[in-house]
Amino acid sequence: MARNPNTLKQAIEALSQVLRGNTDPQARAKAAECLGELASAEALTILCQALPQERTPDVQICIMDAIVTLAKPTSDKPMSETPKYDLRGANIGNFAETIQSGGRQDATQNIYAPEQDFNKLLADYKQFFNDLQQKYPIQPPEAALQPIIDAEFQEIQKTQPQRWQNFLNLKCLWSGGKKATLKMGEHFTEENLWGKMAIAFLEGITDDPE
Amino acid sequence: MLQNLEQQQLVLNTLCQTLTDPEPQVRAKAAESLGRLELQAALPNLLAQLNDPSPLVRLNIIQALGQLRATTAIPQLIPLLLDEAPEIRAATADTLGKIGNEHTIDYLLKTLNDSTPTVRATAVQALGEIGAEATIPPLLQAFKDVSDTVRIHAIESVSKIYAREA
């Protein structure tokens, strides 16, 4: 799946600023880790430039780990193929109840959904949340996440209507039983708030943004 | 991701420069990273730091040399079979098992008399990796070692050598 180059550029720039200028070593370490996940030549250059400037050993070690992640041939895959947070690990319950409460979606989207490849839609959706996570390397408090996601969804509706339609189609397929084909687990939803929000949208627990 | 020589050189230079960082854990990580990336061009820098005062750094360099399959490093590795730190002696024996040849056998055989069982056990494994039939008699002697681990590895090594011969 192709990534939006503008989004990627913005994410790299933001992470680079954190890595170079943030006074909190944990934030710099996290920024290095995130850059390592971006599968970008620019990210690799930024990490190499940052290493000699960094004086905190723990951060230096994180930078080197990120360099190896990016540079090692066996891990040389586009990020969409090796997501850090994998929705296939989602452990979702109350599926049947969700269909009823989310019936509004079924009525309008079944026209498109069956023709679309579920995995492709899911990959793009995961990418959206991966991009969000990189945009906000320091995770906002839980209460602030939903407004952020709503705003991002609204932006997608406005600027990428087809992508937004794909998200809705995914939601429809998810409710229509496709999620049952995924391997159940708990990593994504238990350890990551972004993941919880991603699943909540698909489950119909959160409404579509107005 | 190392799409061109320029990028490879940048990574190489950055990590090699970090091999001389004041902090031992940082130097150790740089050595580990060079090994994981299998950057052959890092060999001179790794060898230059092989006598680092930190055992952790020496350990990671020795392991990196094994990952690089750096046979040219063998002459510099052999003295480390007598390093004061047993983990260094064991790591050296392990690396020599990966990259060693018939010329290293005598040194590994001497290591079978090391005072630390882990070192003897690793030497026994290394001899099994090299796989020379000439090492069978001393390996059979190691069946009588006081350490269970050494004895078990000696049996495995003999088995491995004969399996290779078959």
Side-chain angles (χ1 to χ4, degrees):
Chain A
M1 182 188 61
R3 282 183 296 195
N4 181 334
N6 290 332
T7 309
L8 180 63
K9 194 176 174 187
Q10 285 171 1
I12 290 174
E13 179 59 33
L15 289 166
S16 170
Q17 283 176 12
V18 174
L19 183 61
R20 288 170 179 157
N22 199 296
T23 54
D24 179 2
Q26 281 189 323
R28 297 200 300 279
K30 194 69 188 171
E33 185 188 329
C34 289
L35 282 165
E37 299 288 337
L38 286 183
S40 151
E42 193 182 349
L44 183 61
T45 302
I46 289 167
L47 288 162
C48 286
Q49 289 169 346
L51 183 57
Q53 311 301 325
E54 179 60 54
R55 293 273 47 99
T56 304
D58 286 347
V59 182
Q60 290 172 284
I61 287 168
C62 282
I63 292 173
M64 283 186 270
D65 274 334
I67 288 172
V68 171
T69 301
L70 281 173
K72 191 163 174 57
T74 51
S75 61
D76 184 15
K77 294 178 183 173
M79 202 174 85
S80 58
E81 291 175 33
T82 54
K84 182 177 177 187
Y85 299 102
D86 193 341
L87 276 170
R88 287 175 301 180
N91 184 7
I92 311 299
N94 302 322
F95 167 50
E97 290 172 15
T98 306
I99 294 175
Q100 289 167 0
S101 63
R104 178 171 61 86
Q105 295 296 330
D106 294 350
T108 56
Q109 289 147 25
N110 275 345
I111 300 165
Y112 309 100
E115 285 87 45
Q116 302 222 14
D117 180 71
F118 176 74
N119 291 329
K120 197 174 167 187
L121 296 176
L122 183 61
D124 186 42
Y125 187 66
K126 285 193 288 185
Q127 186 64 56
F128 171 76
F129 277 90
N130 276 328
D131 289 342
L132 265 186
Q133 214 166 332
Q134 283 144 20
K135 187 172 176 181
Y136 299 92
I138 301 171
Q139 186 169 281
E142 187 165 11
L145 281 186
Q146 194 56 54
I148 289 172
I149 292 171
D150 283 346
E152 296 285 345
F153 274 157
Q154 282 170 2
E155 182 67 16
I156 295 236
Q157 278 180 278
K158 231 187 306 180
T159 59
Q160 302 174 65
Q162 183 55 55
R163 193 182 191 198
W164 175 246
Q165 186 60 55
N166 287 346
F167 285 1
L168 296 179
N169 290 345
L170 176 67
K171 185 173 178 176
C172 178
L173 286 170
W174 186 273
S175 299
K178 278 285 186 183
K179 75 165 183 181
T181 64
L182 302 179
K183 188 181 173 185
M184 291 297 151
E186 69 292 334
H187 174 76
F188 187 84
T189 51
E190 282 192 359
E191 294 185 7
N192 182 267
L193 284 176
W194 293 109
K196 285 181 183 171
M197 292 297 176
I199 299 298
F201 173 75
L202 293 177
E203 290 285 283
I205 298 165
T206 57
D207 294 331
D208 304 345
E210 295 300 322
Chain B
M1 179 52 62
L2 291 175
Q3 291 163 347
N4 54 47
L5 285 175
E6 195 179 325
Q7 275 189 331
Q8 185 170 323
Q9 194 64 43
L10 176 64
V11 170
L12 178 72
N13 290 346
T14 305
L15 292 174
C16 285
Q17 186 183 339
T18 312
L19 279 175
T20 56
D21 190 275
E23 294 294 330
Q25 70 267 40
V26 174
R27 299 198 299 276
K29 188 70 185 183
E32 179 200 305
S33 301
L34 288 164
R36 286 171 65 190
L37 290 175
E38 298 173 22
L39 291 171
Q40 297 294 333
L43 183 56
N45 297 77
L46 288 167
L47 287 175
Q49 304 301 323
L50 194 52
N51 294 314
D52 192 286
S54 160
L56 180 62
V57 179
R58 295 202 298 279
L59 183 74
N60 283 7
I61 290 177
I62 292 162
Q63 289 173 339
L65 293 173
Q67 287 167 304
L68 296 182
R69 304 273 160 192
T71 51
T72 55
I74 290 173
Q76 285 176 262
L77 282 168
I78 284 171
L80 293 174
L81 286 171
L82 301 173
D83 193 281
E84 60 187 349
E87 61 269 28
I88 298 296
R89 300 198 299 275
T92 304
D94 182 61
T95 292
L96 287 174
K98 288 176 183 153
I99 64 175
N101 50 37
E102 300 208 345
H103 300 296
T104 56
I105 288 174
D106 283 347
Y107 299 99
L108 286 168
L109 288 175
K110 285 177 190 164
T111 308
L112 293 182
N113 297 317
D114 194 283
S115 58
T116 304
T118 311
V119 179
R120 295 199 302 278
T122 312
V124 158
Q125 283 181 301
L127 289 167
E129 289 296 322
I130 293 171
E133 195 176 2
T135 61
I136 295 283
L139 285 172
L140 293 177
Q141 284 294 314
F143 283 15
K144 298 172 191 165
D145 194 283
V146 293
S147 159
D148 289 350
T149 311
V150 175
R151 293 197 302 270
I152 288 168
H153 285 313
I155 294 166
E156 286 174 351
S157 288
V158 169
S159 170
K160 192 179 282 186
I161 292 168
Y162 279 125
R164 202 172 293 170
E165 297 275 327

